[in-house]
């Protein structure tokens, strides 16, 4: 599932390509047909995000999108016919954005949007985010920090990749209960979330590894598109930091990658 940084990039992409002109708005698949007809010909005035939720703003209405596990957007030339599976097509006469397979694609108003956002935790990508709200939920919870980091009502936007990397960065044992997490440890995790998600939103790739932890060969090939992580997806290999310990993965809803030595 795309994490918050990918959704932010989609918002920026739609602002760059589709604001400022009336759009032809259709639903080739038909499941969004009436809603598309209701806003067809309007201008998109902006796009915003909260965690994994995308809001495309039109005059008087908002299209709420959650991609879920299978949703995606693709950009095409307007001349390219949409596939019949496309739920929503935005077309400015030059480019078209096709949305397929979302969990949510709904026409809402600003009150609905506020309700959705109020159910979510603070989003580390927002400069106005209030980490104290997340901290209050974590410190009174008996769930593990590994579960809590994935809970969108605690912090919005973190998925499986960033969960693993944030816990590793904070040297945090994943099975510590929320109520046993120290404020310092939370602050470290929040800071990591802010830094990692912002870098991901900027470059469109996940690179959480500090240059000081890279090999000379890795530094030689380092670029804006480098994808490099400490633990995610690396079960059974040697930890970059402590060398001797094999990384293990345990299922906690989804696979959890961590180093039992660094994060003990
Ligand atoms: Zn280690």
């Amino acid at each position: 599932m795309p994490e918050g940084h990918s959704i932010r990039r989609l918002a920026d992409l739609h602002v760059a390509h589709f604001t400022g002109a009336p759009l032809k708005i259709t639903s080739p698949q038909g499941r969004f047909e009436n809603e598309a007809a209701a806003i067809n010909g309007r201008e998109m005035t902006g796009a915003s995000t909260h965690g994994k939720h995308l809001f495309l703003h039109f005059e008087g209405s908002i299209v709420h999108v959650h991609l879920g596990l299978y949703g995606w957007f693709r950009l095409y030339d307007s001349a390219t016919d949409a596939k019949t599976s496309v739920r929503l097509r935005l077309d400015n006469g030059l480019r078209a954005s096709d949305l397929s397979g979302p969990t949510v694609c709904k026409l809402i108003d600003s009150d609905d949007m506020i309700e959705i956002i109020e159910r979510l935790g603070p989003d580390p990508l927002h400069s106005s985010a209030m980490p104290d709200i997340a901290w209050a939920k974590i410190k009174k919870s008996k769930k593990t920090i590994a579960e809590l980091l994935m809970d969108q009502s605690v912090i919005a936007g973190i998925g499986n990749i960033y969960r693993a990397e944030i816990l590793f960065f904070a040297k945090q044992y994943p099975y510590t209960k929320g109520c046993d997490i120290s404020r310092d440890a939370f602050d470290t995790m929040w800071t990591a979330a802010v830094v990692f998600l912002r870098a991901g939103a900027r470059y469109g790739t996940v690179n959480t590894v500090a240059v000081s932890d890279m090999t000379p060969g890795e530094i030689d090939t380092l670029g804006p598109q480098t994808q490099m992580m400490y633990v995610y997806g690396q079960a059974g290999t040697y930890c970059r930091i402590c060398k001797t310990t094999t990384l293990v993965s345990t299922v906690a809803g989804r696979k959890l990658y961590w180093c039992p030595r660094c994060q003990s």
Side-chain angles (χ1 to χ4, degrees):
M1 185 185 294
E3 304 194 24
H5 69 295
S6 304
I7 307 304
R8 171 57 69 86
R9 284 178 68 81
L10 283 172
D12 292 346
L13 182 141
H14 280 85
V15 167
H17 289 292
F18 294 100
T19 52
L23 298 178
K24 186 179 176 191
I25 302 168
T26 56
S27 177
Q29 182 197 42
R31 284 181 60 186
F32 194 65
E33 196 171 12
N34 294 338
E35 296 91 336
I39 55 173
N40 185 32
R42 293 193 201 170
E43 281 189 24
M44 187 190 293
T45 54
S48 62
T49 64
H50 198 103
K52 300 174 185 178
H53 296 256
L54 171 65
F55 302 100
L56 302 174
H57 298 256
F58 294 85
E59 298 150 319
S61 291
I62 298 164
V63 176
H64 171 215
V65 175
H66 192 295
L67 293 177
L69 276 176
Y70 305 110
W72 72 93
F73 279 98
R74 290 278 186 281
L75 284 194
Y76 296 100
D77 292 338
S78 290
T80 307
D81 287 337
K83 292 181 177 150
T84 52
S85 58
V86 170
R87 181 81 55 91
L88 167 67
R89 168 169 272 211
L90 307 172
D91 187 341
N92 64 8
L94 184 66
R95 286 192 184 84
S97 167
D98 286 359
L99 168 65
S100 302
T103 299
V104 177
C105 175
K106 201 174 169 190
L107 200 59
I108 62 171
D109 61 25
S110 54
D111 288 343
D112 298 328
M113 185 180 83
I114 289 166
E115 255 181 57
I116 292 162
I117 291 172
E118 281 177 349
R119 289 201 298 267
L120 298 166
D123 180 340
L125 280 174
H126 293 183
S127 51
S128 60
M130 291 189 282
D132 282 354
I133 294 173
W135 169 239
K137 289 178 179 170
I138 288 172
K139 76 175 179 183
K140 69 178 185 190
S141 176
K142 289 195 163 58
K143 289 184 181 171
T144 66
I145 189 63
E147 287 175 273
L148 291 165
L149 286 184
M150 292 276 277
D151 183 339
Q152 300 300 299
S153 71
V154 176
I155 299 177
I158 295 173
N160 212 20
I161 298 174
Y162 283 126
R163 164 176 74 171
E165 296 300 302
I166 289 165
L167 288 169
F168 183 86
F169 181 84
K171 297 184 169 31
Q172 177 63 54
Y173 179 60
Y175 296 102
T176 303
K177 289 177 182 170
C179 55
D180 294 329
I181 296 287
S182 71
R183 177 71 202 221
D184 279 353
F186 168 76
D187 286 343
T188 303
M189 288 186 274
W190 177 265
T191 301
V194 171
V195 171
F196 291 168
L197 280 160
R198 285 188 184 171
R202 180 166 182 188
Y203 296 112
T205 185
V206 179
N207 178 6
T208 57
V209 178
V211 174
S212 55
D213 292 334
M214 293 179 186
T215 65
E218 287 170 342
I219 293 170
D220 277 349
T221 57
L222 184 61
Q225 295 308 308
T226 298
Q227 179 173 296
M228 210 181 292
M229 288 155 273
Y230 283 101
V231 286
Y232 179 79
Q234 295 169 55
T237 63
Y238 291 111
C239 171
R240 181 180 285 277
I241 302 301
C242 68
K243 311 294 182 195
T244 55
T245 310
T246 305
L247 296 167
V248 297
S249 83
T250 308
V251 176
R254 292 166 69 193
K255 277 191 175 173
L256 171 66
Y257 299 91
W258 61 293
C259 172
R261 185 165 174 185
C262 291
Q263 296 172 249
S264 58

